[in-house]
Amino acid sequence: LGRSRVLTAPPACKHLIGREYPSLGGAAHDIHQQLYGTGRCDYLVAYESYVTGLGAQHIRALGTSRTPVRRHGERQSFTAYSPFLATTTVQVLREADGHGRWIPVGWLRPLARLPKP
C-alpha cells in the first residue's frame, strides 16, 4: 500500500495516468477528488485489487478481523484485514485473468512485498 503509480483511470482522471505517489492513499485521494469533488474516501474499502493464489480456505479467512478507523478523533467506520493470511503468497494483477477475485485492498493487510529476483 506504499508507493503507487496510476496505471489506468476513468476519462475524468486520464491526466493522472503515469503519476507516482508515495502511498496508495495519496493516489486514491486525487482520483476521488477528480471524480466526486472530494478527496475523502475510505480507500481500503473503496478500491479493490485483483488477487490470484487464494484457495477456498484462504477466501474464508479474508477480511475476518476488523479495526476502527478514526478521523478527527472520532470513530467513523471499521476496516477489515486478514491477519490469518499474513504468510500467504498471492499475486496482485493489473487485470482480471479469470483465476482470481477482486477484493478490497484493505483485506490484503498485513502486506509485505517479496523481493524481485
Side-chain angles (χ1 to χ4, degrees):
L1 301 178
R3 191 153 188 79
S4 299
R5 180 182 306 142
V6 178
L7 299 175
T8 61
C13 302
K14 290 288 186 191
H15 64 284
L16 298 176
I17 293 176
R19 185 169 174 185
E20 291 196 19
Y21 293 84
S23 69
L24 176 61
H29 174 276
D30 282 5
I31 290 171
H32 219 73
Q33 179 72 39
Q34 291 294 309
L35 293 175
Y36 305 108
T38 177
R40 288 186 172 196
C41 77
D42 187 351
Y43 69 92
L44 294 173
V45 175
Y47 289 82
E48 295 182 330
S49 291
Y50 190 82
V51 178
T52 63
L54 295 172
Q57 73 279 14
H58 300 117
I59 292 168
R60 285 190 297 276
L62 279 171
T64 54
S65 294
R66 298 172 70 81
T67 187
V69 175
R70 296 188 181 277
R71 290 192 178 88
H72 307 292
E74 296 180 21
R75 187 181 75 201
Q76 293 189 347
S77 64
F78 285 89
T79 184
Y81 61 106
S82 308
F84 301 109
L85 300 177
T87 59
T88 303
T89 301
V90 298
Q91 187 174 19
V92 178
L93 304 179
R94 271 180 79 169
E95 298 176 7
D97 70 352
H99 294 64
R101 64 178 21 212
W102 289 99
I103 61 170
V105 295
W107 289 10
L108 295 173
R109 296 176 305 136
L111 181 70
R113 294 183 191 271
L114 294 175
K116 292 184 179 180

